[in-house]
Amino acid sequence: MKHSTIQLGDLPDEILMMIFKNMCQVDVLYSLIDVNQRLTTIVHDPIFTNHVTLLKHLSDGSICSLTDSMLDQFCSQILPKMNHKIKCLHLESSSMERILLAANYPSLDGLSLYENALTDLFKNKILSLTFNMNVNKKDNDREHVNGIIFQRIIKIFTNLQYLNLCPSSIWYSRISLKAFTANLASTTLSELHVTVNNFDDCLCLLDGRFNQLHTLYVYVADIQSSRQTINNMENLPNLKYFSLYSNVVTRAYDELIVPLLNRMFNLEELSLYVKICDINRFVDGSDLKKSILNNMSRLKKLQFYIRSTTGVLNRINIPSNEDIQYTFKDFHNNHIISYVDYFTDTQRGQCHIYSYPYTLNEYCKITNSFPGGLYKCVTKISLYDERPFEYNFFLRIAESFPHLKKLIIENMKPQNGKPKSDGNQNLPIIEYPHLITLDLTEAHLDYIELFLFDTKMRLSNNISVVAIYQALRRVTEKFTRNATSTLGKKLHRLNLVGKYRIPKYVKEYFPHTKICSCEFV
């Protein structure tokens, strides 16, 4: 052995395992993965992948995060290849979010968070915290990861009074509390802004674990019945300000929402934004007073939007718009707008009621009965009716929503008063200067033609359109119609539904447009 040279690769796997176990785990993973198949297999052993420590211990006993280059390598190359094996992560606080968003961790059930000297110095002094999370649409376990982050924030900042989680991205900041209820509590938190996965999570926040909470703004992604048992359903005398928002239609208004609000008898401000279906009635002013508001004697401010839909087949006494509006005669401190529609094709009725000015950023299922007004906050709307949308309706929509960015049209009825190409010179111009997304997948050909070809319709210079391929083919006369020179320059993106491959003549017809295809909406 005096003159022999032993390479690392000459050692048996057992010896290599012993050597690697005595090395820094970060260095092992960073240096040896993808060197060759044998070393990669060894370092993918559960000894190295079940519990992963991604931080550095310094000689003085303190800790620090990995260098940027190491973080880049772990987040882009290493973690996505071993994510399914990781059961516990040991992280430094400043790199926590980046690492958690680098991959989906289906087996993760533990997280240890280490604070650096700066975090440790200020953690008892932080009273207010706004925490923004990066959006990662590919992360299928986002709610679980967000729950981990939420739990750690509550545990670390022991004197926290105000917490706002991800105000810039409601949908991707959803939190699931199912796995973290045992160790989640605070005796100092008084105001919380949060998005939760379902109504059970909302009830969990109000079961006594945050006993000083007086203000709660909660977005609930799904309000449905559940078999989960919530232990504490007592009254909430400390709660003064409550906002409940959900964008998903629910049938559990009477079962879940009303009982929760009845626990809040000391509320001074209430904001309620919900969409209800199939409760055999429209929610109106009388219903609000009887079910909710009569129990809130201290209420000073009320904001709400409620859209309720129900079947009307064989019903004799169905309320008119005047009937609904009359139920708000005692709402002296509020300007209330309401309107009712009945759809004969589907045998359903729809009722919008809301306080005005309107404060939400979206407004769905607008019909011909829409009374108008000014909605400066709204950037996304959908239009729906079984009656045709005429030219003046779109003009009223443009005037009411000056900052509109996304428009969805759901109407398969042809226009009655469709202007002829040589007879529309006296019509006012319809302008949507900020519109960037136009969804025409459920629109009659007349509306496709109006928005894409009518010279009296002015759109933004950077618009994306979603349309059915066959419908667009008919409107463009098999992609030969000449009236699209201006449209072609404005159309930034075109998503064609129902066409797997884009024909060459379509690309030639829209030479400046990025064209994508999908088989279904």
Side-chain angles (χ1 to χ4, degrees):
M1 295 292 292
K2 181 178 180 180
H3 300 290
S4 64
T5 301
I6 299 178
Q7 301 293 327
L8 185 65
D10 297 329
L11 299 175
D13 290 353
E14 293 79 4
I15 301 298
L16 290 177
M17 287 284 287
M18 294 176 59
I19 294 173
F20 296 158
K21 285 170 62 176
N22 287 281
M23 293 174 59
C24 174
Q25 186 188 38
V26 169
D27 293 333
V28 171
L29 295 173
Y30 181 72
S31 304
L32 299 179
I33 281 185
D34 292 336
V35 170
N36 58 50
Q37 183 60 47
R38 182 188 176 208
L39 291 179
T40 298
T41 301
I42 291 174
V43 297
H44 271 228
D45 187 274
I47 293 177
F48 303 109
T49 58
N50 278 0
H51 292 256
V52 178
T53 300
L54 298 178
L55 51 85
K56 289 282 191 177
H57 291 274
L58 303 181
S59 58
D60 61 0
S62 62
I63 59 97
C64 68
S65 64
L66 305 182
T67 64
D68 288 341
S69 60
M70 293 185 74
L71 273 176
D72 288 341
Q73 183 74 4
F74 270 100
C75 292
S76 63
Q77 300 294 328
I78 300 174
L79 292 174
K81 296 178 180 179
M82 53 185 283
N83 58 315
H84 59 286
K85 297 183 178 182
I86 299 175
K87 295 182 178 180
C88 184
L89 282 169
H90 303 269
L91 309 177
E92 190 271 333
S93 57
S94 65
S95 59
M96 172 185 68
E97 183 182 1
R98 186 176 176 188
I99 292 170
L100 290 177
L101 295 179
N104 179 26
Y105 302 96
S107 303
L108 187 69
D109 56 18
L111 174 65
S112 295
L113 187 62
Y114 296 80
E115 295 81 52
N116 58 33
L118 186 62
T119 306
D120 189 61
L121 177 65
F122 287 102
K123 67 178 183 179
N124 294 325
K125 298 180 180 180
I126 298 295
L127 303 180
S128 176
L129 178 63
T130 298
F131 192 88
N132 279 290
M133 306 174 190
N134 292 328
V135 174
N136 187 345
K137 298 182 181 180
K138 296 181 180 179
D139 191 348
N140 297 323
D141 201 26
R142 156 61 76 175
E143 296 91 345
H144 181 76
V145 173
N146 288 345
I148 294 174
I149 295 174
F150 179 49
Q151 182 193 45
R152 297 304 302 174
I153 287 174
I154 295 299
K155 185 174 182 179
I156 291 170
F157 301 103
T158 55
N159 290 321
L160 195 64
Q161 298 177 12
Y162 171 94
L163 176 58
N164 190 342
L165 284 175
C166 207
S168 61
S169 178
I170 290 178
W171 186 256
Y172 295 104
S173 63
R174 288 189 299 175
I175 289 174
S176 175
L177 301 177
K178 181 170 59 176
F180 309 105
T181 56
N183 300 312
L184 184 66
S186 171
T187 59
T188 62
L189 191 67
S190 59
E191 181 169 347
L192 175 61
H193 300 244
V194 67
T195 299
V196 295
N197 198 39
N198 54 49
F199 204 76
D200 287 340
D201 294 324
C202 178
L203 294 177
C204 177
L205 295 173
L206 294 169
D207 68 356
R209 66 185 67 244
F210 300 112
N211 56 15
Q212 296 302 311
L213 198 65
H214 63 65
T215 301
L216 176 60
Y217 290 79
V218 59
Y219 176 101
V220 183
D222 187 24
I223 302 179
Q224 302 297 338
S225 302
S226 172
R227 296 180 180 179
Q228 181 175 334
T229 301
I230 305 298
N231 296 324
N232 190 345
M233 294 295 288
E234 297 178 358
N235 288 332
L236 302 164
N238 291 336
L239 206 60
K240 308 295 183 185
Y241 311 95
F242 181 66
S243 175
L244 173 63
Y245 177 88
S246 182
N247 197 37
V248 178
V249 175
T250 179
R251 293 181 172 86
Y253 175 74
D254 293 323
E255 178 186 351
L256 297 178
I257 296 175
V258 171
L260 174 62
L261 294 176
N262 284 334
R263 297 166 58 193
M264 306 176 185
F265 57 87
N266 280 334
L267 274 190
E268 297 178 8
E269 293 187 12
L270 171 63
S271 298
L272 180 63
Y273 308 104
V274 291
K275 301 172 184 178
I276 307 164
C277 71
D278 297 331
I279 59 171
N280 296 318
R281 71 184 189 280
F282 292 142
V283 175
D284 57 17
S286 298
D287 193 285
L288 283 177
K289 286 188 292 184
K290 180 181 178 181
S291 300
I292 298 172
L293 301 181
N294 286 344
N295 299 320
M296 299 179 179
S297 59
R298 300 185 180 184
L299 193 66
K300 299 176 182 178
K301 183 177 180 180
L302 173 65
Q303 293 180 308
F304 65 92
Y305 167 85
I306 300 174
R307 189 187 82 223
S308 45
T309 58
T310 187
V312 294
L313 183 64
N314 298 326
R315 292 182 60 178
I316 299 176
N317 297 318
I318 53 178
S320 66
N321 188 51
E322 291 73 21
D323 295 332
I324 298 294
Q325 192 64 41
Y326 184 75
T327 64
F328 291 100
K329 65 182 186 303
D330 297 330
F331 285 62
H332 302 298
N333 297 325
N334 296 85
H335 181 188
I336 308 299
I337 292 178
S338 67
Y339 60 99
V340 179
D341 289 278
Y342 295 99
F343 308 113
T344 55
D345 290 356
T346 57
Q347 289 293 302
R348 295 188 67 79
Q350 173 181 273
C351 177
H352 291 268
I353 61 172
Y354 54 90
S355 54
Y356 185 86
Y358 190 90
T359 58
L360 300 179
N361 62 7
E362 66 177 342
Y363 191 152
C364 297
K365 302 293 183 181
I366 299 172
T367 69
N368 280 287
S369 302
F370 172 66
L374 186 60
Y375 300 78
K376 292 183 178 180
C377 297
V378 176
T379 59
K380 174 186 175 181
I381 66 172
S382 68
L383 311 177
Y384 171 83
D385 211 329
E386 292 180 356
R387 298 168 294 166
F389 292 140
E390 305 299 348
Y391 192 88
N392 286 334
F393 173 76
F394 289 109
L395 180 62
R396 187 162 83 251
I397 293 298
E399 293 170 344
S400 294
F401 303 97
H403 303 296
L404 187 62
K405 294 182 179 180
K406 182 173 183 178
L407 172 60
I408 303 170
I409 300 177
E410 302 172 77
N411 193 324
M412 299 306 294
K413 301 293 184 180
Q415 290 182 294
N416 292 325
K418 182 180 177 182
K420 296 181 180 179
S421 58
D422 59 351
N424 65 353
Q425 297 303 314
N426 295 323
L427 291 175
I429 294 174
I430 303 176
E431 294 188 78
Y432 292 91
H434 305 290
L435 192 66
I436 56 176
T437 303
L438 176 62
D439 189 337
L440 299 169
T441 53
E442 297 186 55
H444 188 271
L445 301 183
D446 286 353
Y447 309 115
I448 300 176
E449 185 171 12
L450 173 65
F451 272 84
L452 300 188
F453 293 96
D454 199 300
T455 57
K456 290 294 184 177
M457 179 70 70
R458 293 185 181 175
L459 306 178
S460 67
N461 290 323
N462 191 30
I463 190 168
S464 297
V465 173
V466 186
I468 301 293
Y469 171 79
Q470 290 296 338
L472 190 62
R473 185 174 184 269
R474 290 180 61 185
V475 171
T476 59
E477 299 171 2
K478 299 182 179 179
F479 301 98
T480 63
R481 189 171 178 174
N482 293 325
T484 58
S485 58
T486 302
L487 172 65
K489 294 178 181 178
K490 289 187 174 183
L491 197 58
H492 169 68
R493 183 185 180 97
L494 177 62
N495 291 318
L496 291 178
V497 180
K499 193 67 175 177
Y500 181 69
R501 291 183 178 180
I502 306 300
K504 182 179 179 181
Y505 55 81
V506 177
K507 297 178 181 179
E508 293 174 347
Y509 191 72
F510 297 105
H512 306 291
T513 303
K514 181 179 181 180
I515 305 176
C516 304
S517 64
C518 54
E519 295 188 50
F520 303 100
V521 180

